[in-house]
Amino acid sequence: AQSVTQLGSHVSVSEGALVLLRCNYSSSVPPYLFWYVQYPNQGLQLLLKYTTGATLVKGINGFEAEFKKSETSFHLTKPSAHMSDAAEYFCAVILYTGTASKLTFGTGTRLQVTL
Amino acid sequence: DTGVSQNPRHKITKRGQNVTFRCDPISEHNRLYWYRQTLGQGPEFLTYFQNEAQLEKSRLLSDRFSAERPKGSFSTLEIQRTEQGDSAMYLCASSSPPLAGGLADTQYFGPGTRLTVL
């Protein structure tokens, strides 16, 4: 079985500060990992994904994440937070059943950015 | 590319009524997924279509729920005899098959339909 754990349901940072959102996964097979962002009353937007290859993945809006197999982690970072980054962030892992590539999501981390 | 669209965006209904939601995927995508998201939780998988065939259903999808994708393009999700526990955001996502050698597709989500059952 696969699962995703996001540490910290709420994270608050000052504008210009480093953003670090934590994600740990458990998977019996090499994982495919994703970060999505959700703005209020909207759907999910793909930030970045890791499938194979380079373990440091760059996404949109200046975000990046590093896949660390030894730590079973896929933490999301951004060097300098902007007010527009305030949203809910979801880490997800693919559960591939041979037909569907079902996403299994964490419970989300709400990012607050203060002046 | 207009992205995935969903209608309606919001639906308020009384318990016991039937509701139907529509999803229009990205035009060249043959895979379509439905997820449900309750407050404070991440989305949970409901069902999956490849073209017009419904290939997988979650145990979350009770017999009051039915989904169709009649021509392999848009999809509908119907909930019969709604209950207050059905109140949630219903999300649709679409994708195309992964590139050669890959196992996982990348899913693109619509804005969702928020259902409130009174």
Side-chain angles (χ1 to χ4, degrees):
Chain A
Q2 300 189 43
S3 68
V4 176
T5 301
Q6 291 185 242
L7 295 175
S9 59
H10 290 83
V11 170
S12 182
V13 300
S14 300
E15 191 175 34
L18 171 71
V19 175
L20 171 60
L21 305 182
R22 299 178 186 275
C23 173
N24 288 87
Y25 68 91
S26 65
S27 174
S28 56
V29 297
Y32 294 85
L33 295 158
F34 301 79
W35 275 99
Y36 284 87
V37 61
Q38 186 175 36
Y39 297 97
N41 295 314
Q42 294 188 26
L44 282 76
Q45 181 181 9
L46 180 67
L47 275 178
L48 49 79
K49 63 181 180 181
Y50 169 79
T51 53
T52 58
T55 56
L56 182 61
V57 180
K58 296 187 183 299
I60 62 172
N61 302 337
F63 285 94
E64 61 182 37
E66 187 171 10
F67 169 60
K68 292 187 176 181
K69 184 177 178 181
S70 61
E71 298 178 9
T72 62
S73 69
F74 190 57
H75 301 331
L76 182 71
T77 60
K78 182 175 180 178
S80 176
H82 191 273
M83 294 297 288
S84 61
D85 295 326
E88 184 127 27
Y89 292 80
F90 291 95
C91 181
V93 62
I94 283 282
L95 173 59
Y96 180 71
T97 60
T99 53
S101 298
K102 298 184 292 187
L103 285 163
T104 298
F105 288 87
T107 53
T109 296
R110 183 168 298 279
L111 176 65
Q112 181 182 18
V113 182
T114 59
L115 289 172
Chain B
D1 182 359
T2 57
V4 179
S5 62
Q6 292 187 246
N7 288 289
R9 293 293 307 278
H10 298 91
K11 179 70 176 178
I12 299 174
T13 191
K14 293 182 179 179
R15 189 177 54 186
Q17 297 296 304
N18 299 343
V19 294
T20 300
F21 311 139
R22 176 177 170 130
C23 170
D24 287 88
I26 294 171
S27 58
E28 63 267 27
H29 288 179
N30 68 337
R31 298 180 172 193
L32 188 145
Y33 300 79
W34 285 98
Y35 291 83
R36 180 171 68 187
Q37 183 180 22
T38 53
L39 274 176
Q41 300 296 318
E44 295 175 291
F45 170 81
L46 290 179
T47 190
Y48 162 69
F49 289 85
Q50 186 167 306
N51 299 311
E52 66 276 8
Q54 186 175 21
L55 296 183
E56 192 157 346
K57 292 193 291 186
S58 164
R59 280 172 286 182
L60 293 175
L61 214 63
S62 76
D63 56 5
R64 296 185 297 106
F65 287 70
S66 62
E68 295 182 339
R69 195 182 182 196
K71 297 182 180 179
S73 57
F74 73 91
S75 175
T76 58
L77 177 68
E78 181 183 16
I79 309 174
Q80 295 182 327
R81 305 180 304 280
T82 52
E83 301 172 356
Q84 288 183 326
D86 298 331
S87 295
M89 174 81 90
Y90 290 85
L91 294 162
C92 175
S94 71
S95 67
S96 52
L99 298 175
L103 287 179
D105 49 357
T106 297
Q107 295 170 40
Y108 297 89
F109 283 81
T113 295
R114 182 169 294 283
L115 172 66
T116 301
V117 181
L118 302 176

